Amino acid sequence: MERQQNRVYIFDTTLRDGEQAAGGNLNVAEKLQIARQLSRLGVDVIEAGFPAASPGDFACVEAIAREVKDSVVAGLSRTKKEDIRACFEAVKSAPRRRIHTFIATSPIHMEHKLQMKPDEVLEEIRSAVSLACGLVEDVEFSAEDASRSELPFLIEAFKTAAAAGASTLNIPDTVGYATPDEFYEFCQAIIKGVDAPKAVYSVHCHNDLGLAVANSLAAVRAGVRQVECTINGLGERAGNASLEEVVMALKTRADRYGFVTGLDSTKLHPTSALVSRLSGVHVPPNKAIVGANAFAHQAGIHQHGVMKNPLTYEIMNPEEVGASGSELVLGKHSGRHAFRDRIEQMGYVLTPDQIETAFTLFKKLCDSKKNVSDGDIAALIADEILPASGEGLYELKHCSVKTGNGPTLAVVTLANGKGDISDAATGNGPIDAAYRAIWRVIDLEPELLSFNIKATSDRSDSLGETTVLLRSGDVTAPGRGVSTDVIESAVKAFVNGVNRLHVLASAKGVELSVKKHKHHYE
Ligand code: KIV
Ligand code: ZN
C-alpha cells in the first residue's frame, strides 16, 4: 500500500472479526452490500473473511475480491500452507489484495493452544510469510495475543516477519487486556525494537475492558499507522474498536493527533444502519457517533444552549457523520428516481432488476401505508431482495391464531416444494403458539437463541420487523421477517431462520440432524 504522511489507514474487519461474532451468518449478497458500502465510505482495507474456514467464507471473500476495486481486499489465514493457498485463491482477482496471516506469540497461547515451542513459532512465521509473499505483494503478519506476549520474543517474531517480507506488522490486543498508557509504551518499544522503517505498524484492539478505542488512539500516538476496527464495534465478545469512534476522534481532535483518514465521514451513519440491519445486531441508543441519541439533547438547559449556538453542547455536527435527523419520508407519489437515490443514500448498491423489484414492493407498501420510512425500505430489501438462493426451502402459506379466554391456538401451513404441510399448536400467546406449530411442521428442531421485534419507524402504521437467532447443532442462523402484522413478521422470521440454517449448513459443509418423522401432505 502506498504510504502517505499524516495518514492513519483504516482496516475494517466487520466482515471477518465482526461477522464471526454475529454467528458467522451473513450470506454472500449481504456481505457484498456491506463491502460495497465500506468501499464507498473509503476504508483502506476490507478484511472480507477467513477463506479456509468454510466453503461459504471462501465464496464470500472471492465475490468481494471480484467486485471491490478501490479498497485493498484482505483474507485472513493461519500460518498453515493450505490456509495461505486458499486465501490467495479467494483474494486473487482483487486489483489490490492482501494475505493476512497470524499465529499466537504469548506464552499461554503457545503452550496450551498451539503446543509449540517459541522457535517453532518463529519458523512458522518465516515460512508462512515467505509463502504469502511469493503469492501477493501485500502481506500482513499478526502476532495473536501480542499484548500478553513477552516483549523480546514479540520483537523477534516481528523481525522474522519483516525479514520474510511482511509489509504490515499488526499488534493485536486479542483479549482486550491492555490499558492506554501501557499500550502506548508497548507499541513504542515494539517499533523501536523491530526497527523496520518500511513496515506499517498496526493495532487490532478488543473491547473487553471498554478500552479498544482508547488503546487504538494511544497506539497511533506511539507511531502506529493502521487501525483495525469494525462498524458499530462489532466483534468477538465485547467487540473490536469501533471504526466510527476512531475516525471521528481523529477528525474532531485533529488538534491533538494531527492525522487524517481517507474516509468520507458523512457515510458513517448509513453504514452503521446497514451493518446493524443486515447483521441483526442492534445499535444501542447511547452509542457514540451512530446511536439514535448521539445528537439528541434532552435537558432543557442543553436544548436552550444548542438553539443559541450548537457548539455549546455539540462537539461534532450531526451532518458530518451523516446523521442529519431530517429523514425524508417517501410516499405513493414518489417516483423511481427518488426511490433509487434514497436506497443509494442508505448504502445499498442494487442491480437494475433488484431496484425494479424493490420499487414494485415499495409501491405495494404505499397502498397500505401513507408514509414509507427508511426503516421500512431497508426491511423490505433485507427481507425480499437479499435472501440467499436456496433460502426458500420452506415458504409460509398461511398462519392464523385464535386468542381469547382459553389457550391461544395457532395453525400454520408451510410449503416445502413437495406440498403443503399444516399443523396446529397451543402456546403462551400467539407467537409462542405459532412457533410451536412451526416446530411440528419443519424437519429440524432448532433452538431459539434470541428474539426481537422492532418497529421500522416511530409511526403507528410502522412495519413490525422481527429478528431471531436459531441454532441447530453447530450452526447458528439469523432469521428476519417484516410485515404490518407483527405475528406474521415473527412467523416469517422463524421460517427464514430455518431456511438459513439449511443454506449455512451446506455452505459450511456440515450436516444438520433432521427429525425422523414423516409429514402428511395436503
Ligand atoms: O483478535 C485477534 O487477535 C485477531 C487476529 C486474528 C488479528 O482477530
Ligand atoms: Zn480479533
Side-chain angles (χ1 to χ4, degrees):
M1 197 158 63
E2 212 176 288
R3 283 179 75 171
Q4 212 179 305
Q5 287 291 328
N6 295 339
R7 174 88 181 259
V8 169
Y9 296 99
I10 298 294
F11 175 116
D12 178 278
T13 183
T14 308
L15 294 173
R16 199 276 300 167
D17 216 322
E19 205 252 353
Q20 205 166 298
N25 49 35
L26 292 169
N27 66 35
V28 182
E30 291 163 340
K31 282 196 175 181
L32 267 172
Q33 288 299 324
I34 294 176
R36 288 175 187 135
Q37 177 64 8
L38 289 171
S39 182
R40 295 204 300 189
L41 176 64
V43 307
D44 298 287
V45 185
I46 296 174
E47 186 163 57
F50 191 165
S54 72
D57 260 57
F58 183 95
C60 287
V61 178
E62 197 182 33
I64 292 168
R66 260 195 244 113
E67 208 177 299
V68 169
K69 307 272 176 280
D70 297 330
S71 310
V72 173
V73 177
L76 183 69
S77 149
R78 289 172 298 186
T79 49
K80 291 177 187 296
K81 290 188 177 55
E82 319 81 84
D83 273 36
I84 293 178
R85 293 206 178 96
C87 189
F88 171 67
E89 288 303 319
V91 298
K92 72 180 179 197
S93 46
R96 303 169 68 209
R97 60 217 174 166
R98 175 181 294 185
I99 294 178
H100 175 196
T101 185
F102 75 100
I103 191 164
T105 51
S106 63
I108 186 168
H109 276 235
M110 289 193 289
E111 187 186 335
H112 297 281
K113 187 181 79 172
L114 300 174
Q115 291 167 338
M116 285 169 93
K117 299 263 174 277
D119 278 355
E120 293 172 309
V121 169
L122 292 180
E123 181 46 32
E124 276 288 300
I125 297 172
R126 201 200 51 72
S127 63
V129 173
S130 307
L131 173 61
C133 288
L135 298 168
V136 293
E137 274 179 16
D138 183 349
V139 174
E140 170 169 340
F141 167 70
S142 281
E144 191 189 11
D145 206 17
S147 55
R148 293 192 301 167
S149 303
E150 285 165 1
L151 187 61
F153 179 67
L154 186 59
I155 290 175
E156 223 180 316
F158 282 134
K159 273 183 184 279
T160 307
S167 44
T168 305
L169 302 175
N170 184 36
I171 310 166
D173 181 22
T174 302
V175 291
Y177 183 69
T179 63
D181 47 351
E182 172 199 39
F183 203 52
Y184 169 84
E185 286 168 15
F186 191 64
C187 293
Q188 244 189 357
I190 293 168
I191 295 170
K192 188 159 175 263
V194 176
D195 190 24
K198 289 206 184 121
V200 172
Y201 291 88
S202 164
V203 286
H204 173 110
C205 297
H206 279 269
N207 204 29
D208 300 65
L209 292 173
L211 294 172
V213 171
N215 286 334
S216 305
L217 295 172
V220 167
R221 289 196 52 236
V224 156
R225 292 293 171 265
Q226 174 180 282
V227 174
E228 302 197 354
C229 42
T230 57
I231 299 292
N232 300 335
L234 215 60
E236 280 287 347
R237 307 179 309 278
N240 288 65
S242 141
L243 178 147
E244 56 280 4
E245 292 176 25
V246 170
V247 168
M248 289 315 290
L250 289 173
K251 187 168 186 204
T252 310
R253 296 309 309 273
D255 59 323
R256 178 89 188 139
Y257 294 102
F259 288 104
V260 294
T261 67
L263 269 71
D264 173 358
S265 64
T266 64
K267 296 206 163 60
L268 287 172
H269 228 262
T271 311
S272 157
L274 181 77
V275 169
S276 164
R277 183 164 301 283
L278 296 182
S279 66
V281 181
H282 298 292
V283 177
N286 59 337
K287 166 83 177 64
I289 319 294
V290 292
N293 293 347
F295 294 93
H297 302 277
Q298 301 293 353
I301 193 165
H302 288 201
Q303 291 171 348
H304 182 73
V306 169
M307 266 151 36
K308 292 254 182 281
N309 179 347
L311 294 180
T312 49
Y313 286 98
E314 278 183 4
I315 57 163
M316 293 163 276
N317 175 337
E319 281 83 32
E320 249 183 292
V321 301
S324 67
S326 54
E327 188 188 319
L328 220 117
V329 174
L330 298 179
K332 69 173 173 198
H333 299 298
S334 309
R336 261 187 193 74
H337 282 304
F339 180 74
R340 202 186 49 217
D341 286 354
R342 173 46 58 95
I343 56 179
E344 270 175 24
Q345 274 163 23
M346 286 165 60
Y348 293 94
V349 181
L350 302 181
T351 63
D353 284 353
Q354 287 175 323
I355 294 177
E356 207 41 48
T357 312
F359 186 66
T360 310
L361 291 166
F362 158 73
K363 283 287 174 188
K364 225 165 116 191
L365 188 60
C366 291
D367 290 338
S368 58
K369 275 179 109 242
K370 195 160 150 257
N371 296 318
V372 176
S373 68
D374 283 0
D376 295 334
I377 296 171
L380 279 183
I381 293 175
D383 199 40
E384 308 279 353
I385 310 289
L386 300 179
S389 59
E391 261 184 35
L393 184 65
Y394 290 107
E395 189 196 337
L396 175 66
K397 298 295 277 239
H398 167 87
C399 172
S400 59
V401 285
K402 186 184 143 297
T403 51
N405 320 349
T408 309
L409 174 74
V411 179
V412 172
T413 304
L414 303 184
N416 71 351
K418 297 183 199 148
D420 290 353
I421 323 160
S422 300
D423 219 320
T426 54
N428 190 6
I431 294 172
D432 187 48
Y435 279 18
R436 286 170 191 274
I438 298 172
W439 249 295
R440 296 167 71 98
V441 168
I442 58 177
D443 58 351
L444 305 175
E445 286 174 326
E447 206 185 324
L448 181 63
L449 298 181
S450 74
F451 174 85
N452 183 291
I453 299 192
K454 189 166 157 276
T456 52
S457 75
D458 50 13
R459 284 178 289 272
S460 62
D461 66 349
S462 165
L463 294 178
E465 182 179 31
T466 305
T467 45
V468 294
L469 192 61
L470 303 182
R471 178 164 58 205
S472 176
D474 288 340
V475 184
T476 54
R480 257 192 313 260
V482 278
S483 172
T484 40
D485 173 342
V486 286
I487 297 167
E488 186 177 80
S489 94
V491 169
K492 280 173 140 182
F494 196 92
V495 174
N496 178 247
V498 172
N499 287 336
R500 282 177 166 234
L501 278 173
H502 283 284
V503 174
L504 283 165
S506 81
K508 287 182 199 289
V510 295
E511 299 256 323
L512 295 174
S513 74
V514 170
K515 272 194 246 166
K516 297 281 176 287
H517 76 249
K518 292 216 161 43
H519 300 305
H520 285 294
Y521 297 106
E522 287 170 345

